[in-house]
Amino acid sequence: MNFETLPGFRSFLPDKCFIRNYIFDSWRSSAQSYNFQEYDAPTLEPLELYKEKSGDEIVNQLFNFTDRGDREVALRPEMTPSLARLVGEKANSLKRPVKWFSVGEQFRYERPQKGRLRSFYQFNVDILGEAGVGADAELIACLIDSLCAFGLDSKDFKVRLSDRELWVRFLKYWGIQDAALPSVLSIMDRIEKMDEETALEQLKEHFLAGTEAFVQSVKALFKVKTVSELKAFFISLPEKEGQVVDFSNRIEELGVLFSTLQAMGLEDYIAVDFKIVRGLAYYTGFVFEAFEATGKGRALAGGGRYDNLIEKLSGNSMEAVGFAMGDVTLLDLLKDKAKVPEYKPSADIAFIFSGESEAACALEDAHGLRREGYRVEYPIKKMAFSKQFKDAGQKGIRFAFIYGSEELSEKKVKLKDFKSGEEILIERTHAVMLKAIKGLL
Ligand code: HAM
């Protein structure tokens, strides 16, 4: 029988685990530098949590089944609905704004391909209970800084910023009714990946004879790169009979968001880009995605404002904005830019001894240093004295305590630095050995 890893799932041998932990540690310290608090939620949730709330795209990718208690359940494809539920339940007792983050595994039944797997890790960062654009700015800044923490800069990645609310108003201007908005937004989200014929066919269902004019207008909107170009674009839209759609307050808000990010010195990382619509159904305001600077490849991260989701899930109204970064595309980029740290598994100290009677002393001292938090290698299997030296060298261990019968008879032990070749003789007491090694490591 052949037990292979399932498609889109990964095993993490120690070298891969080392890199995964490096990414997780960096994510955690970036979030903590903004004073976000870590939370977690169940990996398995009621299926209902994702139906309608996340949108068709994710619902079609769920790993779901009926459990033995006849419950419809799903492995979580994203954190946002769980977060909205847990914050919603505690809405009245939590101090606002709630600033929370999580690092956890997500599951989506997608076609495995570059940048897309069926199990992946996400770093989710969200601010809940704050309506002001300052929260959007804080999150975009945190996203940028989290990527910079890996040694990347504005030459390596960009955050593309758009506005769902402006998109909705734009579609209403073109005569789209509320009920049709989700499906038109979903077409706009996928349009870059479609061929022109399919796109036109799908758009015609909604725009009928106005399709060609709409497409021309969208092409112009897609060219917009700055807030002032955006302003000019919306001012230039011809007035339509019976249509009074006001775009100005959203453009102003976008201006405030930009100047806040500018004040943080982050303007080089950001570009207006209305090709960003976001596939998830719950977004209500500014939306953004981070990409490799050339724009190639899949998104490194995505997020935005979702002011209605918490109320829908819990009945308690609370504004929210957040993003999630995935480990798969991030690692591809880090490899591309040679920013992956080298895996060097190594203990701090080896214990080397000449014979049986010395072994007991070495074991006692090794145990003491392990309890102090040092990574200590001790030969589990009997090995010749010379073989122990060779073994420590092969493992790349820098220091060793060496136990010979002569030294031990004087209650002493040797401390060797493999790099310099130096050896010193010290007293064999826990305090002296600890002090000696503390000075070196
Ligand atoms: P999302 O855009 O669906 O947003 O996912 C965010 C990131 O997760 C993507 O940019 C990508 O890096 C990674 N990702 C998604 N699917 C896969 C996959 N199949 N394989 C590998 N990586 C993947 C959300 O999940 C929202 N819940 C983000 C959010 C948080 N919005 C507000 N708060």
Side-chain angles (χ1 to χ4, degrees):
M1 238 196 259
N2 190 0
F3 293 114
E4 277 179 8
T5 309
L6 290 169
F9 284 74
R10 291 168 288 177
S11 301
F12 292 87
L13 299 185
D15 58 332
K16 297 279 187 311
C17 241
F18 166 82
I19 293 163
R20 189 176 73 175
N21 288 342
Y22 163 72
I23 290 176
F24 288 2
D25 290 349
S26 182
W27 280 347
R28 288 198 164 94
S29 59
S30 294
Q32 280 153 359
S33 74
Y34 280 72
N35 199 26
F36 283 87
Q37 308 297 312
E38 186 161 1
Y39 71 97
D40 204 354
T43 329
L44 194 66
E45 290 275 24
L47 175 66
E48 205 51 41
L49 189 62
Y50 306 108
K51 278 195 170 170
E52 292 172 41
K53 307 298 183 279
S54 297
D56 289 348
E57 191 177 319
I58 280 205
V59 171
N60 293 334
Q61 297 169 343
L62 285 174
F63 274 90
N64 59 308
F65 58 96
T66 310
D67 76 5
R68 287 164 196 256
D70 259 347
R71 293 173 205 90
E72 291 286 327
V73 294
L75 286 173
R76 66 182 182 205
E78 56 157 342
M79 283 305 281
T80 314
S82 306
L83 170 69
R85 185 201 53 213
L86 19 132
V87 172
E89 280 166 1
K90 302 238 175 300
N92 298 325
S93 58
L94 288 170
K95 190 171 160 3
R96 299 178 190 203
V98 176
K99 290 171 60 180
W100 285 5
F101 80 95
S102 84
V103 173
E105 192 171 10
Q106 319 292 333
F107 306 87
R108 296 187 193 177
Y109 200 90
E110 295 203 43
R111 187 170 64 78
Q113 55 193 294
K114 190 162 170 62
R116 281 285 176 275
L117 296 176
R118 290 183 177 166
S119 146
F120 56 98
Y121 292 87
Q122 266 189 351
F123 171 44
N124 275 263
V125 190
D126 293 82
I127 299 180
L128 306 106
E130 175 51 55
V133 74
D136 304 61
E138 180 99 335
L139 273 164
I140 294 172
C142 181
L143 165 57
I144 294 170
D145 286 346
S146 306
L147 287 167
C148 290
F150 292 105
L152 302 168
D153 64 25
S154 62
K155 290 189 290 307
D156 302 317
F157 74 91
K158 298 280 179 214
V159 175
R160 295 156 65 181
L161 180 59
S162 166
D163 183 14
R164 256 295 172 93
E165 178 55 31
L166 263 179
W167 255 114
V168 166
R169 291 188 197 179
F170 180 59
L171 294 178
K172 284 192 170 165
Y173 163 87
W174 282 98
I176 300 297
Q177 302 296 311
D178 284 350
L181 284 171
S183 58
V184 181
L185 283 168
S186 158
I187 303 172
M188 298 323 298
D189 178 50
R190 291 173 287 117
I191 203 151
E192 267 193 300
K193 293 172 209 137
M194 287 188 215
D195 61 75
E196 199 158 339
E197 209 177 310
T198 320
L200 281 175
E201 208 172 286
Q202 296 193 7
L203 288 172
K204 263 187 192 140
E205 276 180 37
H206 299 280
F207 294 89
L208 312 170
T211 305
E212 188 47 39
F214 173 72
V215 168
Q216 289 314 319
S217 190
V218 166
K219 280 187 177 161
L221 178 59
F222 280 177
K223 288 198 181 118
V224 163
K225 295 254 173 326
T226 63
V227 179
S228 51
E229 284 171 22
L230 192 69
K231 205 171 184 170
F233 171 84
F234 280 109
I235 287 174
S236 73
L237 284 181
E239 254 181 54
K240 286 201 175 185
E241 222 177 300
Q243 285 282 29
V244 190
V245 184
D246 183 16
F247 301 103
S248 58
N249 64 337
R250 288 308 296 175
I251 299 171
E252 251 167 58
E253 281 276 288
L254 191 64
V256 176
L257 178 56
F258 253 87
S259 49
T260 313
L261 291 164
Q262 212 164 14
M264 297 186 208
L266 300 175
E267 66 270 31
D268 286 351
Y269 289 91
I270 307 170
V272 172
D273 189 339
F274 272 71
K275 289 191 218 82
I276 301 300
V277 182
R278 303 282 294 136
L280 294 157
Y282 46 66
Y283 292 111
T284 55
F286 296 125
V287 283
F288 47 89
E289 285 186 358
F291 281 88
E292 210 253 79
T294 56
K296 76 166 197 236
R298 289 175 171 271
L300 300 161
R305 188 166 272 283
Y306 52 104
D307 283 344
N308 303 331
L309 186 64
I310 299 180
E311 189 165 14
K312 275 190 195 156
L313 289 173
S314 69
N316 290 320
S317 135
M318 205 169 180
E319 310 82 2
V321 50
F323 73 83
M325 187 186 298
D327 70 318
V328 182
T329 41
L330 172 66
L331 185 56
D332 284 346
L333 178 60
L334 295 182
K335 281 182 185 157
D336 233 37
K337 305 283 171 191
K339 300 283 186 200
V340 184
E342 197 189 336
Y343 172 57
K344 275 199 248 153
S346 180
D348 300 319
I349 317 157
F351 276 73
I352 297 176
F353 44 86
S354 51
E356 273 308 299
S357 51
E358 291 79 27
C361 299
L363 196 54
E364 182 191 342
D365 297 346
H367 193 73
L369 288 182
R370 281 174 173 165
R371 286 206 160 167
E372 297 288 346
Y374 289 99
R375 296 176 302 169
V376 172
E377 183 73 33
Y378 180 91
I380 300 170
K381 214 172 80 170
K382 254 191 203 164
M383 239 190 260
F385 200 38
S386 60
K387 178 95 186 349
Q388 294 176 48
F389 278 91
K390 204 168 151 205
D391 189 61
Q394 280 168 346
K395 288 185 171 133
I397 303 174
R398 171 90 189 265
F399 299 102
F401 281 116
I402 303 163
Y403 293 70
S405 55
E406 221 170 278
E407 291 87 1
L408 273 185
S409 66
E410 293 167 26
K411 297 201 172 59
K412 296 226 158 101
V413 60
K414 264 191 210 158
L415 174 57
K416 185 179 173 87
D417 179 344
F418 282 111
K419 196 167 173 200
S420 65
E422 258 175 59
E423 283 182 3
I424 50 168
L425 200 60
I426 59 168
E427 242 179 89
R428 190 202 149 224
T429 65
H430 180 71
V432 172
M433 290 171 72
L434 187 62
K435 196 166 164 219
I437 205 74
K438 259 189 190 161
L440 296 169
L441 284 167

